Amino acid sequence: MKIGISTAAMFPEKNTEEAAEVIKTLGADTTEVFFSTFYEYRPEFSKALAPKTAGLEVNSVHALSLNFEGNLFNASRRVRGDGYYWLDQIARSAQLLNCRNYTFHGFIRAGEGEDDIAFLGERFAEAHSFMRRDNVNLCLENTSRFAYARPGFFKQIKNYCPDLSGVFDLKQARRSGYPYAMYIEDMAGAIAYVHISDFGADGKMCLPGKGICDFKEVFKRLKGAGFDGSVIIEPYRRDYGGFEELKESVEFLKETVDKV
């Protein structure tokens, strides 16, 4: 497994391109580039960003999901078209960064109603096929307030989109109220990469190695599900002090992986 850091870990203190340069000094093997604005979605931005990431693998790109991803699930083809405009910008940007994965949340959940799985499955398959034109994988992440908010949803959608990959997010699993192992089992054999964080006895999020999470157990379960990819540290900036703490976290996770 490779250990990396998301540029989101330094937002808003550092702009994306600044964060990428700092991450290269912290012992990370890889990164996720989190595009924070519409301005950053544009290929022109990634063309300028690419030299900043030289020597650091860009595992995945992410976007602010509320900006446009929900449009892709609208019944109106015209509304979906607006979403695809930005999805196209991101796919082209990913290519410029030699990146093959896009972290996808999809639509926000407004209630507890029944899902129209056939309609949603068609929309996921459509979006995935669109991204594959540029050799970018649409990777569905478990998130407590968006499409993949409960275990089982991934397998349902995969019936319509067999090549769909998943992103396991540990903090989002905690927020969902379901045991995290249920998400790993749901995505077994299709986990592209992982977002990871820790939490203290008070429930507050912190960096891996600073809290009480049993990461040996987490990695054993991931390995048992066939995973051997990138593990990306993705905290909020308020959850730690200096950037040197991120380096400590990278070292902690590498040691833990070696033991597993």
Side-chain angles (χ1 to χ4, degrees), residues 104 124 128 138-140 153-154 157-158 161-166 190:
F104 188 67
F124 273 101
H128 181 269
L138 188 83
C139 302
L140 178 60
F153 183 80
F154 184 84
I157 297 302
K158 201 167 173 62
C161 186
D163 294 331
L164 184 67
S165 296

Side-chain angles (χ1 to χ4, degrees), residues 15 23 31 35 73 82 102 110 113 150 184 186 207 211 223 233:
N15 287 324
I23 288 170
T31 189
F35 296 129
F73 297 88
D82 280 352
Y102 173 56
R150 55 172 175 77
I184 293 177
D186 193 35
L207 291 178
K223 187 176 180 180
I233 301 170

Side-chain angles (χ1 to χ4, degrees), residues 4-260:
I5 303 170
S6 171
T7 62
M10 300 176 188
F11 181 83
E13 182 176 341
K14 296 288 186 182
N15 287 324
T16 302
E17 66 275 20
E18 296 170 330
E21 292 191 302
V22 175
I23 288 170
K24 289 195 291 187
T25 71
L26 300 177
D29 302 313
T30 186
T31 189
E32 176 168 273
V33 169
F34 198 112
F35 296 129
S36 301
T37 68
F38 284 107
Y39 164 79
E40 294 185 356
Y41 296 166
R42 301 175 309 132
E44 291 84 356
F45 174 77
S46 287
K47 187 175 181 179
L49 174 63
K52 308 288 187 181
T53 63
L56 181 66
E57 177 191 79
V58 179
N59 172 80
S60 46
V61 295
H62 205 324
L64 286 175
S65 308
L66 286 172
N67 281 351
F68 70 92
E69 288 184 0
N71 287 25
L72 302 172
F73 297 88
N74 196 282
S76 165
R77 183 173 293 275
R78 181 174 294 177
V79 174
R80 294 204 301 272
D82 280 352
Y84 277 106
Y85 171 82
W86 290 110
L87 201 63
D88 176 61
Q89 297 287 296
I90 288 173
R92 291 163 57 198
S93 294
Q95 280 192 321
L96 290 168
L97 298 172
N98 293 316
C99 172
R100 294 292 175 262
N101 300 308
Y102 173 56
T103 303
F104 188 67
H105 288 186
F107 60 92
I108 192 167
R109 289 191 174 275
E112 299 296 328
E114 289 288 326
D115 288 331
D116 183 345
I117 294 297
F119 175 80
L120 295 177
E122 290 172 2
R123 300 286 75 75
F124 273 101
E126 184 179 60
H128 181 269
S129 178
F130 183 87
M131 296 294 278
R132 287 303 303 155
R133 298 185 315 174
D134 292 308
N135 295 315
V136 178
N137 298 311
L138 188 83
C139 302
L140 178 60
E141 181 176 33
N142 64 285
T143 49
S144 61
R145 294 194 303 151
F146 285 81
Y148 188 12
R150 55 172 175 77
F153 183 80
F154 184 84
K155 283 184 178 178
Q156 288 180 302
I157 297 302
K158 201 167 173 62
N159 288 331
Y160 294 85
C161 186
D163 294 331
L164 184 67
S165 296
V167 183
F168 170 64
D169 189 306
L170 185 58
K171 74 173 177 295
Q172 291 292 342
R174 290 196 299 268
R175 288 176 174 178
S176 74
Y178 294 97
Y180 75 82
M182 293 180 69
Y183 288 101
I184 293 177
E185 181 180 352
D186 193 35
M187 289 184 271
I191 302 174
Y193 46 100
V194 169
H195 287 163
I196 211 158
S197 61
D198 206 340
F199 62 100
D202 57 1
K204 292 183 179 180
M205 198 162 80
C206 58
L207 291 178
K210 303 292 185 179
I212 62 174
C213 181
D214 185 349
F215 282 100
K216 284 186 181 179
E217 181 64 21
V218 173
F219 290 141
K220 284 180 181 177
R221 289 184 180 275
L222 286 167
K223 187 176 180 180
F227 175 74
D228 189 28
S230 295
V231 176
I232 310 293
I233 301 170
E234 191 192 43
Y236 299 115
R237 183 62 187 92
R238 64 177 179 267
D239 296 322
Y240 67 97
F243 294 146
E244 69 279 358
E245 292 183 26
L246 286 168
K247 185 174 184 178
E248 294 170 3
S249 190
V250 168
E251 293 170 350
F252 165 78
L253 289 175
K254 287 184 175 182
E255 291 173 1
T256 305
V257 166
D258 288 342
K259 291 175 183 177
V260 172

